[in-house]
Short mmCIF file of all heavy atoms in Angstrom, two decimals:
data_model
loop_
_atom_site.label_atom_id
_atom_site.label_comp_id
_atom_site.label_asym_id
_atom_site.label_seq_id
_atom_site.Cartn_x
_atom_site.Cartn_y
_atom_site.Cartn_z
N LYS A 505 16.15 9.60 -11.94
CA LYS A 505 17.16 9.41 -12.99
C LYS A 505 18.22 10.51 -12.96
O LYS A 505 19.39 10.26 -13.24
CB LYS A 505 16.50 9.37 -14.37
CG LYS A 505 15.62 8.17 -14.63
CD LYS A 505 15.15 8.12 -16.06
CE LYS A 505 14.31 9.33 -16.43
NZ LYS A 505 13.09 9.43 -15.63
N THR A 506 17.80 11.73 -12.66
CA THR A 506 18.77 12.85 -12.64
C THR A 506 19.87 12.59 -11.63
O THR A 506 21.07 12.79 -11.91
CB THR A 506 18.06 14.16 -12.33
OG1 THR A 506 17.07 14.41 -13.33
CG2 THR A 506 19.04 15.31 -12.31
N ALA A 526 28.46 17.86 -18.45
CA ALA A 526 27.62 18.67 -19.32
C ALA A 526 26.27 17.97 -19.40
O ALA A 526 26.19 16.82 -19.84
CB ALA A 526 28.23 18.81 -20.71
N VAL A 527 25.23 18.64 -18.92
CA VAL A 527 23.89 18.09 -18.92
C VAL A 527 23.14 18.68 -20.10
O VAL A 527 22.93 19.90 -20.18
CB VAL A 527 23.17 18.41 -17.60
CG1 VAL A 527 21.78 17.79 -17.60
CG2 VAL A 527 23.98 17.93 -16.41
N LEU A 528 22.74 17.84 -21.04
CA LEU A 528 22.09 18.28 -22.27
C LEU A 528 20.60 17.99 -22.19
O LEU A 528 20.20 16.85 -21.96
CB LEU A 528 22.70 17.58 -23.47
CG LEU A 528 24.23 17.68 -23.60
CD1 LEU A 528 24.71 16.94 -24.84
CD2 LEU A 528 24.67 19.13 -23.62
N GLN A 529 19.79 19.03 -22.39
CA GLN A 529 18.34 18.92 -22.26
C GLN A 529 17.68 19.24 -23.60
O GLN A 529 18.25 19.96 -24.43
CB GLN A 529 17.82 19.88 -21.19
CG GLN A 529 18.35 19.61 -19.79
CD GLN A 529 17.71 18.37 -19.18
OE1 GLN A 529 16.88 17.72 -19.78
NE2 GLN A 529 18.11 18.04 -17.95
N PRO A 530 16.44 18.76 -23.83
CA PRO A 530 15.82 18.97 -25.13
C PRO A 530 15.27 20.36 -25.37
O PRO A 530 15.13 20.78 -26.51
CB PRO A 530 14.68 17.93 -25.13
CG PRO A 530 14.38 17.68 -23.69
CD PRO A 530 15.68 17.84 -22.97
N THR A 531 14.91 21.11 -24.31
CA THR A 531 14.31 22.44 -24.50
C THR A 531 14.92 23.43 -23.53
O THR A 531 15.53 23.07 -22.53
CB THR A 531 12.78 22.40 -24.28
OG1 THR A 531 12.52 22.17 -22.88
CG2 THR A 531 12.12 21.33 -25.13
N THR A 532 14.70 24.71 -23.82
CA THR A 532 15.25 25.76 -22.97
C THR A 532 14.56 25.78 -21.61
O THR A 532 15.23 26.05 -20.59
CB THR A 532 15.07 27.14 -23.64
OG1 THR A 532 13.69 27.35 -23.94
CG2 THR A 532 15.85 27.20 -24.94
N ALA A 533 13.25 25.54 -21.55
CA ALA A 533 12.54 25.55 -20.27
C ALA A 533 13.09 24.49 -19.34
O ALA A 533 13.30 24.72 -18.14
CB ALA A 533 11.05 25.38 -20.49
N ILE A 534 13.34 23.30 -19.89
CA ILE A 534 13.88 22.22 -19.07
C ILE A 534 15.31 22.53 -18.66
O ILE A 534 15.74 22.24 -17.55
CB ILE A 534 13.81 20.90 -19.84
CG1 ILE A 534 12.35 20.59 -20.20
CG2 ILE A 534 14.38 19.76 -19.03
CD1 ILE A 534 12.19 19.44 -21.15
N ALA A 535 16.08 23.15 -19.57
CA ALA A 535 17.45 23.51 -19.24
C ALA A 535 17.49 24.52 -18.10
O ALA A 535 18.36 24.44 -17.22
CB ALA A 535 18.15 24.08 -20.49
N ASP A 536 16.57 25.49 -18.10
CA ASP A 536 16.52 26.45 -17.01
C ASP A 536 16.32 25.76 -15.67
O ASP A 536 16.97 26.10 -14.67
CB ASP A 536 15.40 27.46 -17.24
CG ASP A 536 15.72 28.44 -18.36
OD1 ASP A 536 16.90 28.57 -18.72
OD2 ASP A 536 14.78 29.09 -18.88
N ALA A 537 15.39 24.80 -15.62
CA ALA A 537 15.13 24.07 -14.39
C ALA A 537 16.33 23.23 -13.98
O ALA A 537 16.73 23.20 -12.80
CB ALA A 537 13.89 23.18 -14.55
N ALA A 538 16.97 22.56 -14.96
CA ALA A 538 18.12 21.73 -14.67
C ALA A 538 19.30 22.58 -14.20
O ALA A 538 20.14 22.11 -13.41
CB ALA A 538 18.52 20.92 -15.91
N TYR A 539 19.39 23.81 -14.68
CA TYR A 539 20.47 24.70 -14.26
C TYR A 539 20.39 24.99 -12.77
O TYR A 539 21.39 24.94 -12.05
CB TYR A 539 20.39 25.99 -15.08
CG TYR A 539 21.33 27.06 -14.63
CD1 TYR A 539 22.68 26.99 -14.94
CD2 TYR A 539 20.89 28.15 -13.90
CE1 TYR A 539 23.57 27.96 -14.52
CE2 TYR A 539 21.76 29.13 -13.49
CZ TYR A 539 23.11 29.04 -13.80
OH TYR A 539 23.96 30.01 -13.37
N LEU A 558 24.89 28.19 -18.09
CA LEU A 558 23.65 27.83 -18.78
C LEU A 558 23.80 28.25 -20.22
O LEU A 558 24.08 29.42 -20.52
CB LEU A 558 22.47 28.53 -18.11
CG LEU A 558 21.12 28.41 -18.81
CD1 LEU A 558 20.63 26.97 -18.80
CD2 LEU A 558 20.09 29.31 -18.13
N VAL A 559 23.59 27.32 -21.14
CA VAL A 559 23.83 27.63 -22.55
C VAL A 559 22.64 27.22 -23.39
O VAL A 559 22.36 26.03 -23.53
CB VAL A 559 25.09 26.88 -23.08
CG1 VAL A 559 25.52 27.46 -24.41
CG2 VAL A 559 26.21 26.93 -22.09
N HIS A 560 21.94 28.20 -23.89
CA HIS A 560 20.94 27.93 -24.92
C HIS A 560 20.70 29.22 -25.69
O HIS A 560 21.38 30.23 -25.48
CB HIS A 560 19.66 27.34 -24.34
CG HIS A 560 18.98 28.13 -23.26
ND1 HIS A 560 18.47 29.39 -23.44
CD2 HIS A 560 18.70 27.80 -21.98
CE1 HIS A 560 17.91 29.80 -22.32
NE2 HIS A 560 18.04 28.87 -21.42
N SER A 561 19.76 29.20 -26.59
CA SER A 561 19.64 30.29 -27.55
C SER A 561 19.14 31.59 -26.95
O SER A 561 19.38 32.65 -27.52
CB SER A 561 18.70 29.88 -28.70
OG SER A 561 17.42 29.54 -28.20
N HIS A 562 18.45 31.56 -25.81
CA HIS A 562 18.02 32.81 -25.20
C HIS A 562 18.02 32.70 -23.68
O HIS A 562 16.97 32.73 -23.04
CB HIS A 562 16.64 33.25 -25.72
CG HIS A 562 15.60 32.16 -25.77
ND1 HIS A 562 15.46 31.38 -26.88
CD2 HIS A 562 14.70 31.75 -24.88
CE1 HIS A 562 14.50 30.51 -26.66
NE2 HIS A 562 14.02 30.70 -25.45
N THR A 620 28.09 22.49 -16.86
CA THR A 620 27.27 23.18 -17.84
C THR A 620 25.92 22.49 -18.00
O THR A 620 25.85 21.26 -18.00
CB THR A 620 27.96 23.19 -19.24
OG1 THR A 620 29.23 23.85 -19.11
CG2 THR A 620 27.14 23.92 -20.26
N VAL A 621 24.89 23.29 -18.14
CA VAL A 621 23.59 22.81 -18.61
C VAL A 621 23.34 23.49 -19.94
O VAL A 621 23.51 24.71 -20.07
CB VAL A 621 22.46 23.14 -17.62
CG1 VAL A 621 21.11 22.75 -18.21
CG2 VAL A 621 22.67 22.45 -16.29
N ALA A 622 22.96 22.71 -20.94
CA ALA A 622 22.76 23.27 -22.29
C ALA A 622 21.63 22.51 -22.97
O ALA A 622 21.26 21.41 -22.57
CB ALA A 622 24.04 23.15 -23.11
N THR A 623 21.07 23.14 -23.98
CA THR A 623 20.14 22.41 -24.83
C THR A 623 20.96 21.50 -25.77
O THR A 623 22.10 21.79 -26.09
CB THR A 623 19.27 23.36 -25.65
OG1 THR A 623 20.12 24.31 -26.34
CG2 THR A 623 18.30 24.12 -24.76
N ILE A 624 20.33 20.44 -26.20
CA ILE A 624 21.03 19.47 -27.04
C ILE A 624 21.52 20.13 -28.33
O ILE A 624 22.54 19.74 -28.89
CB ILE A 624 20.09 18.28 -27.36
CG1 ILE A 624 20.81 17.23 -28.20
CG2 ILE A 624 18.83 18.74 -28.07
CD1 ILE A 624 21.94 16.52 -27.50
N ASP A 625 20.83 21.19 -28.78
CA ASP A 625 21.24 21.89 -29.99
C ASP A 625 22.68 22.40 -29.89
O ASP A 625 23.43 22.35 -30.85
CB ASP A 625 20.31 23.06 -30.28
CG ASP A 625 18.86 22.64 -30.35
OD1 ASP A 625 18.29 22.33 -29.29
OD2 ASP A 625 18.30 22.61 -31.44
N GLN A 626 23.06 22.90 -28.71
CA GLN A 626 24.39 23.46 -28.53
C GLN A 626 25.46 22.40 -28.71
O GLN A 626 26.54 22.66 -29.23
CB GLN A 626 24.51 24.11 -27.15
CG GLN A 626 23.50 25.20 -26.90
CD GLN A 626 23.65 26.36 -27.86
OE1 GLN A 626 24.75 26.69 -28.28
NE2 GLN A 626 22.54 26.98 -28.20
N ALA A 627 25.15 21.17 -28.29
CA ALA A 627 26.10 20.08 -28.46
C ALA A 627 26.12 19.55 -29.87
O ALA A 627 27.17 19.19 -30.42
CB ALA A 627 25.79 18.94 -27.48
N LEU A 628 24.95 19.48 -30.50
CA LEU A 628 24.89 18.95 -31.86
C LEU A 628 25.70 19.81 -32.84
O LEU A 628 26.15 19.32 -33.86
CB LEU A 628 23.43 18.84 -32.34
CG LEU A 628 22.55 17.82 -31.60
CD1 LEU A 628 21.16 17.81 -32.18
CD2 LEU A 628 23.18 16.43 -31.64
N ILE A 650 25.90 14.06 -20.09
CA ILE A 650 24.63 13.45 -19.72
C ILE A 650 23.56 13.93 -20.67
O ILE A 650 23.29 15.13 -20.73
CB ILE A 650 24.25 13.80 -18.26
CG1 ILE A 650 25.35 13.36 -17.29
CG2 ILE A 650 22.92 13.16 -17.89
CD1 ILE A 650 25.11 13.79 -15.85
N LEU A 651 22.96 13.03 -21.41
CA LEU A 651 21.86 13.37 -22.31
C LEU A 651 20.55 12.93 -21.66
O LEU A 651 20.31 11.73 -21.47
CB LEU A 651 22.01 12.66 -23.67
CG LEU A 651 23.01 13.28 -24.66
CD1 LEU A 651 24.43 12.91 -24.30
CD2 LEU A 651 22.72 12.79 -26.07
N ASP A 652 19.74 13.90 -21.32
CA ASP A 652 18.48 13.63 -20.65
C ASP A 652 17.34 13.58 -21.66
O ASP A 652 17.40 14.26 -22.70
CB ASP A 652 18.20 14.69 -19.60
CG ASP A 652 17.25 14.24 -18.53
OD1 ASP A 652 16.75 13.09 -18.60
OD2 ASP A 652 16.95 15.04 -17.61
N GLU A 653 16.31 12.81 -21.35
CA GLU A 653 15.11 12.72 -22.19
C GLU A 653 15.46 12.37 -23.64
O GLU A 653 14.91 12.93 -24.58
CB GLU A 653 14.32 14.05 -22.15
CG GLU A 653 14.07 14.59 -20.75
CD GLU A 653 13.04 13.78 -19.97
OE1 GLU A 653 12.55 12.78 -20.51
OE2 GLU A 653 12.72 14.16 -18.85
N VAL A 654 16.34 11.41 -23.83
CA VAL A 654 16.79 11.10 -25.18
C VAL A 654 15.68 10.50 -26.05
O VAL A 654 15.78 10.52 -27.28
CB VAL A 654 17.99 10.13 -25.16
CG1 VAL A 654 19.20 10.81 -24.57
CG2 VAL A 654 17.66 8.87 -24.39
N HIS A 655 14.63 10.02 -25.41
CA HIS A 655 13.57 9.36 -26.19
C HIS A 655 12.77 10.32 -27.05
O HIS A 655 12.10 9.89 -28.00
CB HIS A 655 12.61 8.64 -25.23
CG HIS A 655 12.01 9.55 -24.22
ND1 HIS A 655 12.64 9.84 -23.02
CD2 HIS A 655 10.88 10.27 -24.20
CE1 HIS A 655 11.91 10.69 -22.33
NE2 HIS A 655 10.83 10.96 -23.02
N ILE A 656 12.82 11.62 -26.75
CA ILE A 656 11.95 12.54 -27.50
C ILE A 656 12.60 13.05 -28.77
O ILE A 656 11.98 13.78 -29.55
CB ILE A 656 11.52 13.74 -26.64
CG1 ILE A 656 12.68 14.71 -26.45
CG2 ILE A 656 10.93 13.30 -25.34
CD1 ILE A 656 12.24 16.07 -26.06
N ALA A 657 13.85 12.68 -29.02
CA ALA A 657 14.53 13.17 -30.23
C ALA A 657 13.82 12.66 -31.48
O ALA A 657 13.43 11.48 -31.56
CB ALA A 657 15.98 12.71 -30.23
N THR A 658 13.65 13.51 -32.44
CA THR A 658 13.08 13.11 -33.73
C THR A 658 14.11 12.25 -34.48
O THR A 658 15.29 12.23 -34.13
CB THR A 658 12.74 14.34 -34.58
OG1 THR A 658 13.97 15.04 -34.85
CG2 THR A 658 11.77 15.26 -33.84
N MET A 661 17.09 14.38 -35.43
CA MET A 661 17.96 14.72 -34.31
C MET A 661 18.66 13.48 -33.77
O MET A 661 19.80 13.56 -33.30
CB MET A 661 17.16 15.40 -33.21
CG MET A 661 16.64 16.78 -33.57
SD MET A 661 15.80 17.57 -32.19
CE MET A 661 17.16 17.83 -31.07
N ARG A 662 17.97 12.35 -33.83
CA ARG A 662 18.59 11.12 -33.34
C ARG A 662 19.81 10.74 -34.16
O ARG A 662 20.81 10.25 -33.64
CB ARG A 662 17.56 10.00 -33.33
CG ARG A 662 17.99 8.78 -32.53
CD ARG A 662 16.85 7.83 -32.30
NE ARG A 662 16.39 7.20 -33.54
CZ ARG A 662 15.16 7.28 -34.00
NH1 ARG A 662 14.26 8.00 -33.36
NH2 ARG A 662 14.82 6.66 -35.12
N THR A 665 22.48 12.97 -33.06
CA THR A 665 22.92 12.55 -31.74
C THR A 665 23.83 11.33 -31.84
O THR A 665 24.84 11.23 -31.12
CB THR A 665 21.71 12.23 -30.85
OG1 THR A 665 20.87 13.39 -30.75
CG2 THR A 665 22.15 11.81 -29.45
N VAL A 680 26.29 9.37 -20.45
CA VAL A 680 25.15 8.80 -19.74
C VAL A 680 23.88 9.20 -20.48
O VAL A 680 23.67 10.39 -20.77
CB VAL A 680 25.07 9.32 -18.28
CG1 VAL A 680 23.86 8.70 -17.57
CG2 VAL A 680 26.35 8.99 -17.54
N LEU A 681 23.06 8.22 -20.84
CA LEU A 681 21.75 8.47 -21.47
C LEU A 681 20.67 8.20 -20.44
O LEU A 681 20.67 7.14 -19.81
CB LEU A 681 21.55 7.57 -22.69
CG LEU A 681 22.62 7.59 -23.79
CD1 LEU A 681 22.21 6.67 -24.93
CD2 LEU A 681 22.85 9.00 -24.30
N LEU A 682 19.73 9.13 -20.29
CA LEU A 682 18.64 8.99 -19.35
C LEU A 682 17.31 9.03 -20.09
O LEU A 682 17.11 9.88 -20.96
CB LEU A 682 18.66 10.12 -18.31
CG LEU A 682 19.95 10.32 -17.52
CD1 LEU A 682 19.82 11.54 -16.61
CD2 LEU A 682 20.29 9.08 -16.70
N SER A 683 16.41 8.12 -19.75
CA SER A 683 15.11 8.12 -20.42
C SER A 683 14.11 7.34 -19.60
O SER A 683 14.45 6.38 -18.90
CB SER A 683 15.22 7.50 -21.82
OG SER A 683 13.94 7.41 -22.42
N ALA A 684 12.84 7.76 -19.71
CA ALA A 684 11.74 7.04 -19.09
C ALA A 684 11.03 6.12 -20.08
O ALA A 684 10.41 5.15 -19.68
CB ALA A 684 10.73 8.02 -18.48
N THR A 685 11.14 6.44 -21.36
CA THR A 685 10.41 5.68 -22.36
C THR A 685 11.27 5.44 -23.60
O THR A 685 10.85 5.69 -24.72
CB THR A 685 9.11 6.41 -22.78
OG1 THR A 685 9.46 7.75 -23.23
CG2 THR A 685 8.15 6.52 -21.63
N ALA A 826 4.50 28.37 -24.73
CA ALA A 826 5.76 28.92 -25.23
C ALA A 826 5.63 30.28 -25.88
O ALA A 826 6.64 30.91 -26.18
CB ALA A 826 6.37 27.94 -26.24
N SER A 860 2.95 20.99 -24.35
CA SER A 860 4.00 20.02 -24.05
C SER A 860 5.16 20.65 -23.29
O SER A 860 6.12 19.96 -22.95
CB SER A 860 4.53 19.41 -25.35
OG SER A 860 5.01 20.42 -26.22
N LEU A 861 5.06 21.93 -22.98
CA LEU A 861 6.12 22.64 -22.26
C LEU A 861 6.45 21.97 -20.94
O LEU A 861 7.60 21.99 -20.48
CB LEU A 861 5.70 24.09 -22.03
CG LEU A 861 6.77 25.10 -21.66
CD1 LEU A 861 7.73 25.29 -22.82
CD2 LEU A 861 6.14 26.43 -21.29
N LEU A 862 5.44 21.37 -20.27
CA LEU A 862 5.66 20.76 -18.97
C LEU A 862 5.85 19.25 -19.02
O LEU A 862 5.74 18.56 -18.03
CB LEU A 862 4.47 21.08 -18.04
CG LEU A 862 4.34 22.53 -17.57
CD1 LEU A 862 3.26 22.62 -16.51
CD2 LEU A 862 5.64 23.08 -17.03
N ASP A 863 6.12 18.73 -20.22
CA ASP A 863 6.18 17.28 -20.37
C ASP A 863 7.34 16.63 -19.63
O ASP A 863 7.22 15.54 -19.11
CB ASP A 863 6.31 16.92 -21.86
CG ASP A 863 4.96 16.82 -22.53
OD1 ASP A 863 3.95 17.09 -21.86
OD2 ASP A 863 4.92 16.50 -23.73
N MET A 864 8.50 17.29 -19.62
CA MET A 864 9.72 16.59 -19.25
C MET A 864 10.55 17.34 -18.24
O MET A 864 10.62 18.55 -18.25
CB MET A 864 10.59 16.35 -20.51
CG MET A 864 9.90 15.54 -21.57
SD MET A 864 10.52 15.89 -23.22
CE MET A 864 9.96 17.56 -23.47
N SER A 865 11.14 16.56 -17.35
CA SER A 865 12.20 17.04 -16.45
C SER A 865 11.79 18.17 -15.52
O SER A 865 12.65 18.80 -14.92
CB SER A 865 13.43 17.49 -17.26
OG SER A 865 14.01 16.39 -17.91
N LEU A 866 10.51 18.47 -15.40
CA LEU A 866 10.07 19.45 -14.42
C LEU A 866 9.55 18.69 -13.21
O LEU A 866 8.62 17.89 -13.32
CB LEU A 866 8.99 20.36 -15.00
CG LEU A 866 9.48 21.30 -16.11
CD1 LEU A 866 8.36 22.25 -16.53
CD2 LEU A 866 10.68 22.11 -15.67
N ARG A 882 4.77 9.85 -25.09
CA ARG A 882 4.57 11.17 -24.49
C ARG A 882 3.48 11.15 -23.43
O ARG A 882 3.58 11.81 -22.41
CB ARG A 882 4.25 12.18 -25.60
CG ARG A 882 4.05 13.58 -25.10
CD ARG A 882 4.33 14.60 -26.18
NE ARG A 882 5.75 14.74 -26.43
CZ ARG A 882 6.27 15.65 -27.23
NH1 ARG A 882 5.50 16.52 -27.86
NH2 ARG A 882 7.57 15.70 -27.43
N GLN A 885 4.98 9.76 -20.40
CA GLN A 885 5.87 10.76 -19.83
C GLN A 885 5.07 11.77 -19.03
O GLN A 885 5.44 12.13 -17.91
CB GLN A 885 6.64 11.47 -20.94
CG GLN A 885 7.71 12.41 -20.47
CD GLN A 885 8.96 11.70 -20.01
OE1 GLN A 885 9.18 10.56 -20.40
NE2 GLN A 885 9.76 12.31 -19.17
N ARG A 889 3.88 12.97 -13.92
CA ARG A 889 3.60 14.09 -13.01
C ARG A 889 2.44 13.78 -12.07
O ARG A 889 2.17 14.52 -11.16
CB ARG A 889 3.26 15.36 -13.81
CG ARG A 889 4.50 16.17 -14.18
CD ARG A 889 5.29 15.48 -15.26
NE ARG A 889 6.67 15.96 -15.32
CZ ARG A 889 7.65 15.27 -15.85
NH1 ARG A 889 7.43 14.09 -16.36
NH2 ARG A 889 8.87 15.74 -15.89
N THR A 1026 20.08 22.02 -36.47
CA THR A 1026 20.05 21.06 -35.38
C THR A 1026 18.69 20.36 -35.29
O THR A 1026 18.58 19.32 -34.67
CB THR A 1026 20.36 21.72 -34.06
OG1 THR A 1026 19.42 22.81 -33.84
CG2 THR A 1026 21.77 22.28 -34.04
N ARG A 1027 17.67 20.95 -35.88
CA ARG A 1027 16.33 20.35 -35.91
C ARG A 1027 15.77 20.50 -37.32
O ARG A 1027 16.06 21.47 -38.01
CB ARG A 1027 15.40 21.02 -34.90
CG ARG A 1027 15.89 20.91 -33.45
CD ARG A 1027 15.05 21.70 -32.48
NE ARG A 1027 15.67 21.74 -31.18
CZ ARG A 1027 15.19 21.15 -30.09
NH1 ARG A 1027 14.06 20.48 -30.16
NH2 ARG A 1027 15.83 21.23 -28.93
N GLU A 1028 14.96 19.54 -37.71
CA GLU A 1028 14.36 19.61 -39.03
C GLU A 1028 13.22 20.62 -39.04
O GLU A 1028 12.72 21.04 -38.01
CB GLU A 1028 13.86 18.22 -39.47
CG GLU A 1028 12.65 17.73 -38.72
CD GLU A 1028 13.01 16.94 -37.48
OE1 GLU A 1028 14.05 17.26 -36.84
OE2 GLU A 1028 12.26 16.03 -37.13
N PRO A 1032 12.51 28.94 -36.37
CA PRO A 1032 11.65 29.96 -35.77
C PRO A 1032 12.24 31.35 -35.94
O PRO A 1032 13.44 31.52 -36.16
CB PRO A 1032 11.61 29.56 -34.29
CG PRO A 1032 12.90 28.81 -34.07
CD PRO A 1032 13.19 28.12 -35.37
#
Side-chain angles (χ1 to χ4, degrees):
K505 292 188 298 299
T506 300
V527 181
L528 307 180
Q529 298 287 359
T531 69
T532 57
I534 300 170
D536 287 343
Y539 173 76
L558 173 65
V559 194
H560 55 63
S561 59
H562 45 272
T620 301
V621 175
T623 52
I624 182 67
D625 305 73
Q626 302 298 326
L628 294 181
I650 302 174
L651 281 78
D652 202 359
E653 310 288 3
V654 293
H655 57 274
I656 74 160
T658 63
M661 292 184 67
R662 194 167 67 239
T665 301
V680 180
L681 305 182
L682 305 177
S683 176
T685 55
S860 59
L861 197 66
L862 290 189
D863 274 3
M864 301 154 292
S865 294
L866 292 185
R882 181 155 286 187
Q885 187 77 22
R889 273 72 200 159
T1026 57
R1027 300 174 189 248
E1028 70 271 32

